[in-house]
Amino acid sequence: PATTLAKLDDGSFLASGQLPATDIYTVTFETPPGSADSVRLEALTHNQLGRSGPGRTSHGNFVLSHITVSVQPFDNSASPGPAKEVALKSARADYSQPNYPIAHALDPSSNRGWGVGLGGNVDRTAWFTFAKPTALSHGGKWKITLKFAFGSNHILGRFRVAIGSEKTLTQDNAIRTTTR
């Protein structure tokens, strides 16, 4: 509750406030009609973070313990229906710290997670692939939860998420999101 997530002009979120040992971030947003098969998580540097981040520790690292995704499809009146958990089947990242692979973020019982320490204080990206594509004929409301349970302030400091197709999920062609 002491963490504040501020949305920046580039669509990323910057965490500030008291630095807890562990934290959970929940981001909700809406997408227009379309199909999606993955979520992209960008861990981004910022000059307000320790050694520019992307984590909130004094050395800029973070450990993502677990990620969950759910969606409420809109019906033809643009009202959200019941939420459905989106199963994640695989994950990949541009870099993982030794002994902290991206696959650990898919396992809720893992006592570790995805870490990026030793890889330098640079932007990092992870892609999480859905077990099956999600088609939303009228759009939907998504909820992404990022859990940071490793401790010692290993929490993400600045990040951006996008939903879309893994093959084409780039900043320029990802399904645009509207934060609520």
Short mmCIF file of all heavy atoms in Angstrom, two decimals, residues 23-91:
data_model
loop_
_atom_site.label_atom_id
_atom_site.label_comp_id
_atom_site.label_asym_id
_atom_site.label_seq_id
_atom_site.Cartn_x
_atom_site.Cartn_y
_atom_site.Cartn_z
N ASP A 23 6.33 -6.89 -2.54
CA ASP A 23 5.21 -6.11 -3.04
C ASP A 23 4.45 -6.90 -4.09
O ASP A 23 4.96 -7.90 -4.62
CB ASP A 23 5.70 -4.78 -3.64
CG ASP A 23 4.70 -3.64 -3.46
OD1 ASP A 23 3.51 -3.90 -3.23
OD2 ASP A 23 5.14 -2.47 -3.56
N ILE A 24 3.26 -6.44 -4.40
CA ILE A 24 2.45 -6.98 -5.50
C ILE A 24 1.89 -5.80 -6.28
O ILE A 24 1.30 -4.90 -5.69
CB ILE A 24 1.29 -7.86 -4.97
CG1 ILE A 24 1.82 -9.07 -4.21
CG2 ILE A 24 0.38 -8.29 -6.12
CD1 ILE A 24 0.74 -9.89 -3.53
N TYR A 25 2.13 -5.80 -7.60
CA TYR A 25 1.56 -4.77 -8.47
C TYR A 25 0.41 -5.38 -9.26
O TYR A 25 0.54 -6.49 -9.78
CB TYR A 25 2.59 -4.27 -9.49
CG TYR A 25 3.82 -3.58 -8.95
CD1 TYR A 25 4.91 -3.39 -9.77
CD2 TYR A 25 3.90 -3.11 -7.64
CE1 TYR A 25 6.05 -2.74 -9.33
CE2 TYR A 25 5.03 -2.46 -7.18
CZ TYR A 25 6.11 -2.28 -8.02
OH TYR A 25 7.24 -1.64 -7.58
N THR A 26 -0.67 -4.64 -9.38
CA THR A 26 -1.79 -5.05 -10.21
C THR A 26 -2.09 -3.93 -11.19
O THR A 26 -2.32 -2.79 -10.77
CB THR A 26 -3.04 -5.36 -9.37
OG1 THR A 26 -2.71 -6.40 -8.44
CG2 THR A 26 -4.19 -5.81 -10.25
N VAL A 27 -2.05 -4.25 -12.48
CA VAL A 27 -2.32 -3.28 -13.53
C VAL A 27 -3.54 -3.76 -14.30
O VAL A 27 -3.60 -4.93 -14.70
CB VAL A 27 -1.11 -3.14 -14.48
CG1 VAL A 27 -1.40 -2.16 -15.59
CG2 VAL A 27 0.13 -2.72 -13.70
N THR A 28 -4.51 -2.88 -14.50
CA THR A 28 -5.68 -3.23 -15.31
C THR A 28 -5.76 -2.27 -16.50
O THR A 28 -5.38 -1.10 -16.38
CB THR A 28 -6.99 -3.15 -14.50
OG1 THR A 28 -7.15 -1.83 -13.99
CG2 THR A 28 -6.98 -4.14 -13.35
N PHE A 29 -6.21 -2.79 -17.61
CA PHE A 29 -6.35 -1.97 -18.81
C PHE A 29 -7.33 -2.64 -19.76
O PHE A 29 -7.63 -3.83 -19.61
CB PHE A 29 -5.01 -1.72 -19.50
CG PHE A 29 -4.24 -2.97 -19.81
CD1 PHE A 29 -4.40 -3.61 -21.04
CD2 PHE A 29 -3.35 -3.50 -18.90
CE1 PHE A 29 -3.68 -4.77 -21.34
CE2 PHE A 29 -2.62 -4.65 -19.18
CZ PHE A 29 -2.80 -5.28 -20.40
N GLU A 30 -7.80 -1.89 -20.71
CA GLU A 30 -8.75 -2.39 -21.70
C GLU A 30 -8.09 -2.46 -23.06
O GLU A 30 -7.20 -1.66 -23.37
CB GLU A 30 -9.98 -1.48 -21.76
CG GLU A 30 -10.75 -1.46 -20.47
CD GLU A 30 -11.91 -0.48 -20.49
OE1 GLU A 30 -12.15 0.19 -21.52
OE2 GLU A 30 -12.60 -0.39 -19.44
N THR A 31 -8.55 -3.43 -23.86
CA THR A 31 -8.08 -3.54 -25.24
C THR A 31 -9.29 -3.59 -26.17
O THR A 31 -10.36 -4.03 -25.77
CB THR A 31 -7.21 -4.80 -25.45
OG1 THR A 31 -7.96 -5.96 -25.10
CG2 THR A 31 -5.94 -4.74 -24.64
N PRO A 32 -9.10 -3.17 -27.40
CA PRO A 32 -10.17 -3.25 -28.39
C PRO A 32 -10.34 -4.70 -28.87
O PRO A 32 -9.56 -5.58 -28.48
CB PRO A 32 -9.66 -2.35 -29.51
CG PRO A 32 -8.18 -2.42 -29.41
CD PRO A 32 -7.88 -2.55 -27.93
N PRO A 33 -11.32 -4.96 -29.72
CA PRO A 33 -11.49 -6.31 -30.26
C PRO A 33 -10.21 -6.81 -30.91
O PRO A 33 -9.45 -6.04 -31.51
CB PRO A 33 -12.60 -6.14 -31.31
CG PRO A 33 -13.36 -4.94 -30.85
CD PRO A 33 -12.34 -4.02 -30.24
N GLY A 34 -9.99 -8.10 -30.77
CA GLY A 34 -8.80 -8.71 -31.36
C GLY A 34 -8.45 -10.00 -30.65
O GLY A 34 -9.17 -10.46 -29.76
N SER A 35 -7.33 -10.55 -31.05
CA SER A 35 -6.86 -11.80 -30.49
C SER A 35 -5.47 -11.58 -29.90
O SER A 35 -4.70 -10.77 -30.41
CB SER A 35 -6.80 -12.88 -31.57
OG SER A 35 -6.39 -14.11 -31.03
N ALA A 36 -5.18 -12.28 -28.82
CA ALA A 36 -3.88 -12.16 -28.18
C ALA A 36 -3.40 -13.53 -27.77
O ALA A 36 -4.19 -14.41 -27.41
CB ALA A 36 -3.97 -11.24 -26.97
N ASP A 37 -2.07 -13.72 -27.81
CA ASP A 37 -1.51 -14.99 -27.36
C ASP A 37 -0.32 -14.80 -26.43
O ASP A 37 0.33 -15.75 -26.04
CB ASP A 37 -1.14 -15.88 -28.54
CG ASP A 37 -0.03 -15.31 -29.42
OD1 ASP A 37 0.62 -14.31 -29.04
OD2 ASP A 37 0.19 -15.86 -30.50
N SER A 38 -0.05 -13.55 -26.05
CA SER A 38 1.08 -13.33 -25.15
C SER A 38 1.02 -11.95 -24.51
O SER A 38 0.30 -11.06 -24.96
CB SER A 38 2.41 -13.51 -25.88
OG SER A 38 2.55 -12.56 -26.90
N VAL A 39 1.80 -11.82 -23.47
CA VAL A 39 1.99 -10.53 -22.81
C VAL A 39 3.49 -10.25 -22.79
O VAL A 39 4.31 -11.16 -22.61
CB VAL A 39 1.40 -10.52 -21.37
CG1 VAL A 39 2.05 -11.55 -20.48
CG2 VAL A 39 1.52 -9.15 -20.73
N ARG A 40 3.82 -9.00 -23.05
CA ARG A 40 5.22 -8.57 -22.99
C ARG A 40 5.38 -7.70 -21.76
O ARG A 40 4.57 -6.80 -21.51
CB ARG A 40 5.59 -7.77 -24.24
CG ARG A 40 7.06 -7.31 -24.23
CD ARG A 40 7.39 -6.38 -25.37
NE ARG A 40 6.64 -5.15 -25.23
CZ ARG A 40 6.16 -4.45 -26.26
NH1 ARG A 40 6.32 -4.86 -27.49
NH2 ARG A 40 5.48 -3.34 -26.05
N LEU A 41 6.42 -7.97 -20.98
CA LEU A 41 6.77 -7.15 -19.83
C LEU A 41 8.14 -6.55 -20.08
O LEU A 41 9.11 -7.28 -20.28
CB LEU A 41 6.80 -8.01 -18.55
CG LEU A 41 7.33 -7.32 -17.30
CD1 LEU A 41 6.44 -6.16 -16.87
CD2 LEU A 41 7.48 -8.34 -16.17
N GLU A 42 8.18 -5.24 -20.09
CA GLU A 42 9.45 -4.53 -20.25
C GLU A 42 9.87 -3.98 -18.89
O GLU A 42 9.10 -3.26 -18.26
CB GLU A 42 9.32 -3.38 -21.24
CG GLU A 42 9.00 -3.82 -22.65
CD GLU A 42 8.69 -2.61 -23.53
OE1 GLU A 42 7.52 -2.19 -23.54
OE2 GLU A 42 9.64 -2.10 -24.16
N ALA A 43 11.04 -4.34 -18.43
CA ALA A 43 11.65 -3.80 -17.22
C ALA A 43 12.57 -2.68 -17.68
O ALA A 43 13.54 -2.93 -18.40
CB ALA A 43 12.42 -4.89 -16.48
N LEU A 44 12.26 -1.45 -17.29
CA LEU A 44 12.90 -0.28 -17.86
C LEU A 44 13.72 0.50 -16.83
O LEU A 44 13.33 0.63 -15.67
CB LEU A 44 11.84 0.64 -18.47
CG LEU A 44 10.93 -0.02 -19.52
CD1 LEU A 44 9.74 0.86 -19.84
CD2 LEU A 44 11.73 -0.34 -20.77
N THR A 45 14.80 1.05 -17.29
CA THR A 45 15.65 1.88 -16.43
C THR A 45 15.03 3.26 -16.24
O THR A 45 14.18 3.69 -17.03
CB THR A 45 17.06 2.01 -17.04
OG1 THR A 45 16.95 2.56 -18.35
CG2 THR A 45 17.78 0.67 -17.08
N HIS A 46 15.47 3.94 -15.20
CA HIS A 46 15.02 5.32 -14.92
C HIS A 46 16.02 5.94 -13.95
O HIS A 46 16.50 5.28 -13.04
CB HIS A 46 13.61 5.32 -14.33
CG HIS A 46 12.98 6.67 -14.34
ND1 HIS A 46 13.21 7.61 -13.36
CD2 HIS A 46 12.13 7.25 -15.22
CE1 HIS A 46 12.52 8.70 -13.63
NE2 HIS A 46 11.85 8.51 -14.75
N ASN A 47 16.29 7.23 -14.13
CA ASN A 47 17.31 7.89 -13.31
C ASN A 47 16.91 8.03 -11.84
O ASN A 47 17.75 8.35 -11.01
CB ASN A 47 17.70 9.25 -13.91
CG ASN A 47 16.54 10.21 -13.98
OD1 ASN A 47 15.45 9.96 -13.46
ND2 ASN A 47 16.75 11.34 -14.64
N GLN A 48 15.66 7.79 -11.48
CA GLN A 48 15.24 7.87 -10.08
C GLN A 48 15.44 6.54 -9.33
O GLN A 48 15.17 6.46 -8.14
CB GLN A 48 13.78 8.29 -9.98
CG GLN A 48 13.53 9.71 -10.39
CD GLN A 48 12.07 10.10 -10.25
OE1 GLN A 48 11.27 9.42 -9.64
NE2 GLN A 48 11.72 11.24 -10.84
N LEU A 49 15.90 5.51 -10.03
CA LEU A 49 16.10 4.20 -9.42
C LEU A 49 17.56 3.99 -9.08
O LEU A 49 18.44 4.58 -9.72
CB LEU A 49 15.62 3.11 -10.38
CG LEU A 49 14.15 3.20 -10.79
CD1 LEU A 49 13.84 2.21 -11.91
CD2 LEU A 49 13.24 2.97 -9.59
N GLY A 50 17.84 3.11 -8.12
CA GLY A 50 19.22 2.79 -7.74
C GLY A 50 20.00 2.33 -8.96
O GLY A 50 19.59 1.39 -9.64
N ARG A 51 21.12 2.98 -9.24
CA ARG A 51 21.95 2.70 -10.42
C ARG A 51 21.12 2.66 -11.70
O ARG A 51 21.41 1.90 -12.62
CB ARG A 51 22.74 1.42 -10.24
CG ARG A 51 23.79 1.52 -9.16
CD ARG A 51 24.74 0.38 -9.22
NE ARG A 51 25.67 0.46 -8.10
CZ ARG A 51 26.43 -0.51 -7.72
NH1 ARG A 51 26.42 -1.66 -8.36
NH2 ARG A 51 27.24 -0.37 -6.69
N SER A 52 20.07 3.41 -11.74
CA SER A 52 19.13 3.55 -12.87
C SER A 52 18.21 2.35 -13.04
O SER A 52 17.46 2.28 -14.00
CB SER A 52 19.86 3.84 -14.18
OG SER A 52 20.51 5.10 -14.09
N GLY A 53 18.25 1.39 -12.12
CA GLY A 53 17.31 0.28 -12.16
C GLY A 53 17.68 -0.79 -13.15
O GLY A 53 18.83 -0.94 -13.52
N PRO A 54 16.67 -1.54 -13.59
CA PRO A 54 15.22 -1.30 -13.56
C PRO A 54 14.53 -1.66 -12.25
O PRO A 54 13.35 -1.40 -12.07
CB PRO A 54 14.69 -2.17 -14.69
CG PRO A 54 15.67 -3.28 -14.82
CD PRO A 54 17.00 -2.71 -14.42
N GLY A 55 15.27 -2.22 -11.28
CA GLY A 55 14.67 -2.56 -10.00
C GLY A 55 14.81 -1.43 -9.00
O GLY A 55 15.53 -0.46 -9.21
N ARG A 56 14.15 -1.60 -7.85
CA ARG A 56 14.14 -0.57 -6.81
C ARG A 56 15.24 -0.76 -5.77
O ARG A 56 15.40 0.07 -4.88
CB ARG A 56 12.78 -0.51 -6.13
CG ARG A 56 11.67 -0.05 -7.07
CD ARG A 56 10.38 0.18 -6.33
NE ARG A 56 10.47 1.39 -5.52
CZ ARG A 56 9.58 1.74 -4.59
NH1 ARG A 56 8.54 0.95 -4.35
NH2 ARG A 56 9.72 2.84 -3.90
N THR A 57 16.00 -1.86 -5.84
CA THR A 57 17.09 -2.03 -4.89
C THR A 57 18.15 -0.96 -5.13
O THR A 57 18.17 -0.32 -6.19
CB THR A 57 17.76 -3.41 -5.04
OG1 THR A 57 18.33 -3.49 -6.35
CG2 THR A 57 16.80 -4.55 -4.81
N SER A 58 19.07 -0.80 -4.19
CA SER A 58 20.13 0.20 -4.36
C SER A 58 21.03 -0.14 -5.54
O SER A 58 21.63 0.75 -6.14
CB SER A 58 20.97 0.31 -3.08
OG SER A 58 21.58 -0.94 -2.79
N HIS A 59 21.10 -1.42 -5.93
CA HIS A 59 21.92 -1.83 -7.07
C HIS A 59 21.10 -2.02 -8.35
O HIS A 59 21.64 -2.40 -9.38
CB HIS A 59 22.73 -3.09 -6.74
CG HIS A 59 21.91 -4.19 -6.12
ND1 HIS A 59 21.05 -4.99 -6.82
CD2 HIS A 59 21.83 -4.58 -4.83
CE1 HIS A 59 20.47 -5.85 -5.99
NE2 HIS A 59 20.93 -5.62 -4.78
N GLY A 60 19.79 -1.79 -8.29
CA GLY A 60 18.96 -1.79 -9.50
C GLY A 60 18.39 -3.12 -9.92
O GLY A 60 17.76 -3.21 -10.98
N ASN A 61 18.55 -4.18 -9.13
CA ASN A 61 18.02 -5.48 -9.52
C ASN A 61 16.58 -5.65 -9.03
O ASN A 61 16.10 -4.90 -8.18
CB ASN A 61 18.89 -6.60 -8.94
CG ASN A 61 18.59 -7.97 -9.55
OD1 ASN A 61 17.86 -8.09 -10.53
ND2 ASN A 61 19.15 -9.01 -8.97
N PHE A 62 15.89 -6.64 -9.56
CA PHE A 62 14.56 -7.04 -9.09
C PHE A 62 14.45 -8.54 -9.32
O PHE A 62 15.20 -9.13 -10.08
CB PHE A 62 13.44 -6.31 -9.84
CG PHE A 62 13.29 -6.72 -11.27
CD1 PHE A 62 12.45 -7.76 -11.65
CD2 PHE A 62 14.01 -6.09 -12.28
CE1 PHE A 62 12.33 -8.17 -12.97
CE2 PHE A 62 13.90 -6.47 -13.60
CZ PHE A 62 13.05 -7.51 -13.95
N VAL A 63 13.48 -9.16 -8.65
CA VAL A 63 13.16 -10.56 -8.86
C VAL A 63 11.65 -10.67 -8.95
O VAL A 63 10.94 -10.43 -7.97
CB VAL A 63 13.70 -11.48 -7.74
CG1 VAL A 63 13.27 -12.92 -7.97
CG2 VAL A 63 15.22 -11.38 -7.65
N LEU A 64 11.14 -11.00 -10.14
CA LEU A 64 9.71 -11.22 -10.35
C LEU A 64 9.38 -12.64 -9.92
O LEU A 64 9.77 -13.60 -10.60
CB LEU A 64 9.33 -11.00 -11.82
CG LEU A 64 7.89 -11.33 -12.18
CD1 LEU A 64 6.91 -10.42 -11.46
CD2 LEU A 64 7.70 -11.23 -13.70
N SER A 65 8.69 -12.80 -8.81
CA SER A 65 8.38 -14.12 -8.27
C SER A 65 7.30 -14.84 -9.06
O SER A 65 7.38 -16.05 -9.27
CB SER A 65 7.91 -14.00 -6.81
OG SER A 65 8.89 -13.36 -6.04
N HIS A 66 6.28 -14.09 -9.49
CA HIS A 66 5.16 -14.74 -10.18
C HIS A 66 4.37 -13.70 -10.96
O HIS A 66 4.26 -12.55 -10.55
CB HIS A 66 4.26 -15.45 -9.17
CG HIS A 66 3.23 -16.33 -9.79
ND1 HIS A 66 3.54 -17.39 -10.62
CD2 HIS A 66 1.89 -16.31 -9.72
CE1 HIS A 66 2.43 -17.99 -11.00
NE2 HIS A 66 1.41 -17.36 -10.48
N ILE A 67 3.82 -14.11 -12.08
CA ILE A 67 2.94 -13.27 -12.90
C ILE A 67 1.65 -14.03 -13.15
O ILE A 67 1.67 -15.24 -13.40
CB ILE A 67 3.60 -12.87 -14.24
CG1 ILE A 67 2.65 -11.98 -15.06
CG2 ILE A 67 4.06 -14.09 -15.02
CD1 ILE A 67 3.28 -11.38 -16.32
N THR A 68 0.52 -13.33 -13.06
CA THR A 68 -0.77 -13.90 -13.44
C THR A 68 -1.47 -12.93 -14.38
O THR A 68 -1.27 -11.71 -14.31
CB THR A 68 -1.68 -14.20 -12.24
OG1 THR A 68 -1.93 -12.99 -11.53
CG2 THR A 68 -1.06 -15.24 -11.32
N VAL A 69 -2.30 -13.51 -15.25
CA VAL A 69 -3.04 -12.73 -16.24
C VAL A 69 -4.49 -13.20 -16.22
O VAL A 69 -4.75 -14.40 -16.19
CB VAL A 69 -2.45 -12.91 -17.66
CG1 VAL A 69 -3.24 -12.12 -18.69
CG2 VAL A 69 -0.98 -12.52 -17.68
N SER A 70 -5.42 -12.25 -16.23
CA SER A 70 -6.84 -12.60 -16.38
C SER A 70 -7.48 -11.57 -17.29
O SER A 70 -6.95 -10.48 -17.51
CB SER A 70 -7.55 -12.66 -15.02
OG SER A 70 -7.58 -11.39 -14.42
N VAL A 71 -8.65 -11.93 -17.84
CA VAL A 71 -9.36 -11.04 -18.75
C VAL A 71 -10.85 -11.18 -18.52
O VAL A 71 -11.36 -12.27 -18.23
CB VAL A 71 -8.98 -11.33 -20.23
CG1 VAL A 71 -9.43 -12.72 -20.67
CG2 VAL A 71 -9.54 -10.25 -21.15
N GLN A 72 -11.54 -10.06 -18.65
CA GLN A 72 -13.00 -10.02 -18.65
C GLN A 72 -13.42 -9.61 -20.06
O GLN A 72 -13.30 -8.43 -20.41
CB GLN A 72 -13.52 -9.00 -17.65
CG GLN A 72 -13.34 -9.37 -16.21
CD GLN A 72 -13.85 -8.26 -15.30
OE1 GLN A 72 -13.12 -7.33 -15.01
NE2 GLN A 72 -15.09 -8.37 -14.87
N PRO A 73 -13.90 -10.54 -20.88
CA PRO A 73 -14.33 -10.16 -22.23
C PRO A 73 -15.55 -9.23 -22.16
O PRO A 73 -16.43 -9.41 -21.32
CB PRO A 73 -14.72 -11.50 -22.87
CG PRO A 73 -14.11 -12.55 -22.01
CD PRO A 73 -14.03 -11.97 -20.64
N PHE A 74 -15.56 -8.23 -23.03
CA PHE A 74 -16.74 -7.37 -23.14
C PHE A 74 -17.78 -8.10 -23.98
O PHE A 74 -17.45 -8.80 -24.93
CB PHE A 74 -16.40 -6.04 -23.83
CG PHE A 74 -15.53 -5.14 -23.01
CD1 PHE A 74 -14.52 -4.42 -23.60
CD2 PHE A 74 -15.72 -4.99 -21.64
CE1 PHE A 74 -13.71 -3.57 -22.86
CE2 PHE A 74 -14.92 -4.14 -20.89
CZ PHE A 74 -13.91 -3.43 -21.50
N ASP A 75 -19.06 -7.91 -23.62
CA ASP A 75 -20.11 -8.43 -24.49
C ASP A 75 -20.46 -7.34 -25.50
O ASP A 75 -19.81 -6.30 -25.55
CB ASP A 75 -21.32 -8.92 -23.68
CG ASP A 75 -22.00 -7.81 -22.87
OD1 ASP A 75 -21.83 -6.61 -23.20
OD2 ASP A 75 -22.71 -8.15 -21.92
N ASN A 76 -21.48 -7.52 -26.28
CA ASN A 76 -21.79 -6.55 -27.34
C ASN A 76 -22.28 -5.20 -26.80
O ASN A 76 -22.43 -4.26 -27.55
CB ASN A 76 -22.78 -7.13 -28.35
CG ASN A 76 -24.08 -7.58 -27.70
OD1 ASN A 76 -24.29 -7.38 -26.52
ND2 ASN A 76 -24.93 -8.20 -28.50
N SER A 77 -22.50 -5.08 -25.49
CA SER A 77 -22.88 -3.79 -24.92
C SER A 77 -21.68 -3.11 -24.24
O SER A 77 -21.85 -2.14 -23.53
CB SER A 77 -24.00 -3.98 -23.89
OG SER A 77 -23.54 -4.71 -22.78
N ALA A 78 -20.50 -3.66 -24.46
CA ALA A 78 -19.25 -3.14 -23.89
C ALA A 78 -19.21 -3.26 -22.37
O ALA A 78 -18.53 -2.50 -21.70
CB ALA A 78 -18.98 -1.71 -24.34
N SER A 79 -19.98 -4.19 -21.83
CA SER A 79 -19.92 -4.48 -20.40
C SER A 79 -19.02 -5.70 -20.20
O SER A 79 -19.12 -6.66 -20.96
CB SER A 79 -21.31 -4.79 -19.85
OG SER A 79 -22.15 -3.67 -19.99
N PRO A 80 -18.19 -5.67 -19.17
CA PRO A 80 -17.32 -6.84 -18.96
C PRO A 80 -18.10 -8.02 -18.39
O PRO A 80 -18.97 -7.86 -17.55
CB PRO A 80 -16.28 -6.34 -17.97
CG PRO A 80 -16.89 -5.17 -17.29
CD PRO A 80 -17.89 -4.59 -18.25
N GLY A 81 -17.78 -9.20 -18.90
CA GLY A 81 -18.36 -10.42 -18.37
C GLY A 81 -17.51 -10.91 -17.20
O GLY A 81 -16.69 -10.16 -16.67
N PRO A 82 -17.68 -12.16 -16.81
CA PRO A 82 -16.88 -12.69 -15.70
C PRO A 82 -15.40 -12.80 -16.10
O PRO A 82 -15.08 -13.06 -17.25
CB PRO A 82 -17.49 -14.05 -15.42
CG PRO A 82 -18.25 -14.41 -16.65
CD PRO A 82 -18.64 -13.13 -17.32
N ALA A 83 -14.53 -12.61 -15.12
CA ALA A 83 -13.09 -12.71 -15.36
C ALA A 83 -12.69 -14.16 -15.58
O ALA A 83 -13.23 -15.06 -14.95
CB ALA A 83 -12.32 -12.12 -14.19
N LYS A 84 -11.75 -14.36 -16.49
CA LYS A 84 -11.21 -15.68 -16.78
C LYS A 84 -9.70 -15.62 -16.63
O LYS A 84 -9.05 -14.73 -17.19
CB LYS A 84 -11.53 -16.09 -18.22
CG LYS A 84 -12.99 -16.14 -18.56
CD LYS A 84 -13.17 -16.43 -20.04
CE LYS A 84 -14.63 -16.36 -20.44
NZ LYS A 84 -14.82 -16.61 -21.87
N GLU A 85 -9.15 -16.56 -15.87
CA GLU A 85 -7.69 -16.61 -15.77
C GLU A 85 -7.13 -17.10 -17.09
O GLU A 85 -7.66 -18.00 -17.72
CB GLU A 85 -7.25 -17.54 -14.64
CG GLU A 85 -5.75 -17.49 -14.44
CD GLU A 85 -5.28 -18.16 -13.18
OE1 GLU A 85 -6.07 -18.29 -12.23
OE2 GLU A 85 -4.11 -18.55 -13.15
N VAL A 86 -6.05 -16.48 -17.51
CA VAL A 86 -5.36 -16.86 -18.74
C VAL A 86 -4.15 -17.70 -18.35
O VAL A 86 -3.23 -17.20 -17.69
CB VAL A 86 -4.93 -15.62 -19.55
CG1 VAL A 86 -4.16 -16.03 -20.79
CG2 VAL A 86 -6.14 -14.76 -19.91
N ALA A 87 -4.17 -18.96 -18.72
CA ALA A 87 -3.05 -19.86 -18.39
C ALA A 87 -1.83 -19.48 -19.23
O ALA A 87 -1.96 -19.23 -20.43
CB ALA A 87 -3.45 -21.30 -18.64
N LEU A 88 -0.68 -19.46 -18.60
CA LEU A 88 0.57 -19.17 -19.28
C LEU A 88 1.34 -20.47 -19.45
O LEU A 88 1.53 -21.21 -18.49
CB LEU A 88 1.39 -18.16 -18.47
CG LEU A 88 0.70 -16.83 -18.18
CD1 LEU A 88 1.55 -15.99 -17.25
CD2 LEU A 88 0.41 -16.09 -19.47
N LYS A 89 1.77 -20.75 -20.69
CA LYS A 89 2.45 -22.03 -20.94
C LYS A 89 3.96 -21.91 -21.00
O LYS A 89 4.67 -22.88 -20.75
CB LYS A 89 1.94 -22.68 -22.23
CG LYS A 89 2.42 -22.03 -23.51
CD LYS A 89 2.03 -22.83 -24.73
CE LYS A 89 2.55 -22.14 -25.98
NZ LYS A 89 2.21 -22.87 -27.18
N SER A 90 4.47 -20.74 -21.36
CA SER A 90 5.92 -20.61 -21.46
C SER A 90 6.32 -19.15 -21.31
O SER A 90 5.48 -18.25 -21.39
CB SER A 90 6.41 -21.15 -22.81
OG SER A 90 5.88 -20.38 -23.87
N ALA A 91 7.62 -18.97 -21.10
CA ALA A 91 8.17 -17.62 -20.95
C ALA A 91 9.57 -17.60 -21.54
O ALA A 91 10.27 -18.61 -21.55
CB ALA A 91 8.20 -17.22 -19.49
#
